[in-house]
Amino acid sequence: MTSTSHPPPSVGYLPTRWDAALARLRTTGMVRFGCAANRDEVHAVAQTVMSLRGHPDSGPDGLTELRAREAKSSAPGRAGFTHRELPPHTEGSSVACPPQLLMLVCLRPAEQDGHTLLVDGADVFADLAERAPETLRVLTRRGAAYFGGADGHAAPVFDRTNAGRWSVRLRLDDLVRFAPHVSPHLPRLEHTLERNTHVLDLAAGEGVLLDNTRWLHGRRGFVGERVMLRALGTCRADTPVSLGFFSSWAVPTDPPPQIPPEGSSGCRDG
């Protein structure tokens, strides 16, 4: 996989560089940082940047340890716990409101490969708008894809969140089914993803903080013991972030969803 540009450099040791990290998150939706390669500090950093959100695989502290503990598993959604490649995807794509923020920290890199893969949805959107506007139009239609199993969620790949802002929701594995009118456009989408994929070789104590409504994440297959910690959460009230990305590109689609009234249980931009 190749990349048309390089992600911003690391802001450094995150516990002392939070202001710089927040500024980076607000402009690019992605922060590369450093911290101590131990669970306690990763947990402390996660609490600084987000309100943690539990996951079925997370521990009592809200962190999920990602290692190859299911080497032979082919069950849908379990590739993250094997040595296999994990294509770039949106975390929590099968729920109505995916986590707003995702943090990954490397505790132990693999002996061979296992590089982190990142795709900026804003780059993919702009690429398609220029080279394949009909594909982009199809991907913005409601019901373009169904994510998850029986209790999953139907949604467009690119969705308008509020005036001028967009979010991405995508995966390309056994946990997604695309509408028939979308299928002919998938090769173009896959080529665009590949063209805009960044490859990061994270060392122990290096991590990334992502706007999960903008960036897709994945990894290459690997050999050896690779251990990562993952945190999911929502933006803290005292550090607001405008999620997703801005684009002036216009397409005739269904009306954007209405923001629910204060106190309701609907999704918010944060």
Side-chain angles (χ1 to χ4, degrees):
M1 293 185 178
T2 59
S3 171
T4 56
S5 62
H6 296 287
S10 174
V11 298
Y13 184 60
L14 187 56
T16 62
R17 297 283 293 163
W18 173 232
D19 288 344
L22 182 59
R24 183 82 53 84
L25 182 65
R26 286 171 170 163
T27 55
T28 69
M30 180 271 196
V31 182
R32 185 172 181 174
F33 65 87
C35 70
N38 66 71
R39 191 175 187 117
D40 287 343
E41 175 146 320
V42 172
H43 180 248
V45 168
Q47 288 186 308
T48 300
V49 303
M50 68 179 77
S51 297
L52 284 165
R53 174 171 168 173
H55 184 276
D57 294 306
S58 63
D61 58 2
L63 302 181
T64 301
E65 185 178 84
L66 302 174
R67 64 166 72 225
R69 61 180 189 239
E70 301 177 13
K72 298 182 179 181
S73 175
S74 59
R78 305 303 293 177
F81 298 103
T82 72
H83 291 87
R84 302 197 311 271
E85 180 172 354
L86 184 63
H89 63 284
T90 301
E91 190 66 35
S93 59
S94 62
V95 299
C97 302
Q100 295 175 340
L101 299 177
L102 177 144
M103 191 176 80
L104 291 169
V105 177
C106 179
L107 297 188
R108 180 184 301 173
E111 295 174 14
Q112 182 178 330
D113 215 330
H115 296 161
T116 297
L117 306 176
L118 300 177
V119 181
D120 187 350
D123 289 343
V124 175
F125 191 97
D127 194 323
L128 290 172
E130 178 182 355
R131 303 178 188 224
E134 178 59 20
T135 294
L136 182 56
R137 186 189 71 81
V138 167
L139 295 174
T140 61
R141 295 187 63 180
R142 293 190 179 279
Y146 183 86
F147 300 91
D151 58 348
H153 187 74
V157 173
F158 291 103
D159 197 10
R160 289 180 294 177
T161 57
N162 57 34
R165 297 196 75 83
W166 294 82
S167 65
V168 62
R169 181 194 299 250
L170 182 63
R171 63 186 311 125
L172 294 169
D173 58 11
D174 293 337
L175 286 176
V176 63
R177 287 173 285 168
F178 291 97
H181 67 277
V182 175
S183 297
H185 296 270
L186 292 181
R188 169 73 72 173
L189 173 60
E190 291 172 358
H191 291 156
T192 305
L193 291 171
E194 183 173 350
R195 187 163 53 242
N196 289 281
T197 296
H198 306 284
V199 182
L200 275 64
D201 184 9
L202 297 177
E206 284 191 307
V208 290
L209 173 64
L210 304 175
D211 173 354
N212 187 51
T213 72
R214 173 172 172 171
W215 286 80
L216 309 176
H217 71 286
R219 63 132 203 273
R220 287 176 170 170
F222 62 93
V223 175
E225 182 77 355
R226 177 184 186 270
V227 183
M228 304 284 289
L229 285 177
R230 181 186 67 195
L232 306 173
T234 56
C235 301
R236 291 170 53 104
D238 56 349
T239 53
V241 175
S242 294
L243 298 169
F245 56 92
F246 174 80
S247 175
S248 60
W249 187 81
V251 62
T253 61
D254 297 331
Q258 297 297 310
I259 297 177
E262 194 73 26
S264 72
S265 58
C267 299
R268 286 187 169 273
D269 293 327

